[in-house]
């Protein structure tokens, strides 16, 4: 939501380039909408290295409110993901997921968050990104309907997208392809660092630190260690 607010502000103030101050203000506004804990302004001052004063952040927050006219009800990819799951009556209509419906949802949410690091996904509708994240999550876990309704591994991630999912979301396999491919690339890079680069002499970048802190918690069912989907030749079902 913070990124949506930041992007909306940037789109309406083309004469100026938003920076750290506006980003912190957008994050503070998003926390007020979505966090269950109260975050004080002092926390934001601390986490930005005390480069900003409390008065600056509060003034920037007021400026964002004025420019956006308090319109912060901006649906994110995660919001669209859970709307799609509700329309799909998840998981009641998808018993073929072998009891992995919870892992699929958590992995899809993880991929939605990863999409924030992808310039390709940033230019796509949030609803499309959410659909692609669910499709890729099913492909990574090898669960769902494949080969137009029969069982077996698919060669492409889009093959895990069923006709029912297309009807519920309005997105076909071909429409999902650009977003799925972008998420695949980001997932491969994240997995290489988060699953294999956490120890020894490997240098950890700051790019995935937030993913590590958030999705490393047990309630996300170990999605950080879920291997990316790789395009492959289909194997005969037995």
């Amino acid at each position: 939501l913070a990124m949506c607010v930041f992007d909306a502000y940037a789109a309406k103030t083309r004469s100026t380039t938003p920076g750290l101050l506006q980003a912190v203000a957008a994050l503070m506004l998003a926390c007020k909408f979505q966090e269950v804990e109260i975050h004080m302004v002092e926390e934001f001052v601390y986490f930005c290295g005390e480069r900003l004063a409390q008065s600056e952040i509060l003034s920037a927050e007021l400026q964002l409110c004025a420019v956006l006219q308090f319109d912060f009800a901006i649906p994110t990819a995660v919001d669209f993901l859970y709307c799609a799951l509700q329309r799909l009556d998840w998981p009641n209509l998808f018993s073929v997921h072998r009891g992995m419906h919870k892992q699929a949802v958590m992995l899809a949410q993880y991929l939605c968050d990863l999409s924030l690091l992808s310039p390709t996904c940033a230019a796509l509708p949030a609803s499309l990104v959410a659909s692609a994240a669910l499709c890729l999550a099913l492909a990574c876990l090898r669960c769902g309907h494949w080969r137009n309704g029969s069982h077996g591994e698919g060669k492409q991630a889009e093959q895990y997208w069923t006709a029912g999912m297309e009807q519920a979301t309005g997105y076909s396999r071909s429409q999902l392809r650009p977003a799925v491919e972008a998420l695949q690339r980001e997932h491969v890079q994240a997995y290489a660092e988060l699953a294999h680069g956490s120890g020894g002499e490997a240098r950890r970048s700051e790019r995935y630190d937030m993913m590590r802190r958030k999705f490393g918690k047990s309630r996300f069912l170990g999605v950080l260690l879920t291997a990316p989907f790789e395009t492959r030749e289909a194997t005969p079902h037995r």
Side-chain angles (χ1 to χ4, degrees), residues 9-236:
Y9 174 79
K12 291 192 175 185
T13 56
R14 298 184 182 276
S15 58
T16 59
T17 303
L20 175 64
L21 178 58
Q22 289 73 26
V24 172
L27 179 59
M28 190 163 66
L29 284 168
C31 288
K32 292 180 179 179
F33 268 77
Q34 294 188 329
E35 289 289 337
V36 294
E37 298 179 358
I38 299 176
H39 295 276
M40 306 302 292
V41 185
E42 292 85 348
E43 296 179 62
F44 295 92
V45 173
Y46 172 79
F47 284 113
C48 67
E50 298 186 350
R51 286 178 286 177
L52 302 173
Q54 292 186 38
S55 58
E56 291 179 301
I57 296 175
L58 293 174
S59 296
E61 183 184 38
L62 289 174
Q63 185 181 21
L64 262 68
C65 292
V67 171
L68 298 180
Q69 298 181 340
F70 291 88
D71 184 11
F72 304 122
I74 307 172
T76 66
V78 174
D79 294 325
F80 278 113
L81 171 64
Y82 282 95
C83 285
L85 292 173
Q86 187 173 16
R87 292 198 66 182
L88 290 168
D89 192 20
W90 189 274
N92 298 331
L93 298 182
F94 296 89
S95 58
V96 293
H97 291 159
R98 299 180 285 116
M100 300 186 69
H101 55 276
K102 291 183 179 179
Q103 289 91 332
V105 172
M106 290 300 181
L107 181 55
Q109 185 175 337
Y110 170 61
L111 293 171
C112 282
D113 279 21
L114 273 183
S115 72
L116 298 174
L117 302 176
S118 168
T120 300
C121 291
L124 298 173
S127 55
L128 176 58
V129 173
S131 299
L134 178 59
C135 175
L136 185 56
L138 294 174
C140 291
L141 296 172
R142 311 294 192 276
C143 58
H145 286 291
W146 312 294
R147 297 184 192 165
N148 299 320
S150 60
H151 298 273
E153 290 189 0
K155 293 187 292 184
Q156 303 292 333
E158 303 89 69
Q159 289 182 278
Y160 292 77
W161 194 247
T162 67
M165 293 174 182
E166 179 178 343
Q167 183 179 18
T169 63
Y171 290 116
S172 65
R173 291 178 176 180
S174 60
Q175 289 174 303
L176 290 184
R177 190 166 294 117
V180 168
E181 291 176 349
L183 286 175
Q184 275 185 273
R185 291 191 297 269
E186 200 63 52
H187 192 197
V188 168
Q189 295 177 20
Y191 180 76
E193 177 170 327
L194 297 176
H196 301 296
S198 58
E201 298 179 357
R203 291 184 60 188
R204 298 196 311 185
S205 68
E206 296 180 356
R207 181 178 178 85
Y208 302 110
D209 275 353
M210 184 57 67
M211 300 298 173
R212 183 183 292 106
R213 289 197 294 267
K214 177 178 179 180
F215 290 96
K217 297 177 181 178
S218 59
R219 68 187 181 94
F220 286 103
L221 307 178
V223 295
L224 288 180
L225 302 180
T226 302
F229 177 82
E230 297 179 1
T231 301
R232 65 193 65 206
E233 293 296 326
T235 55

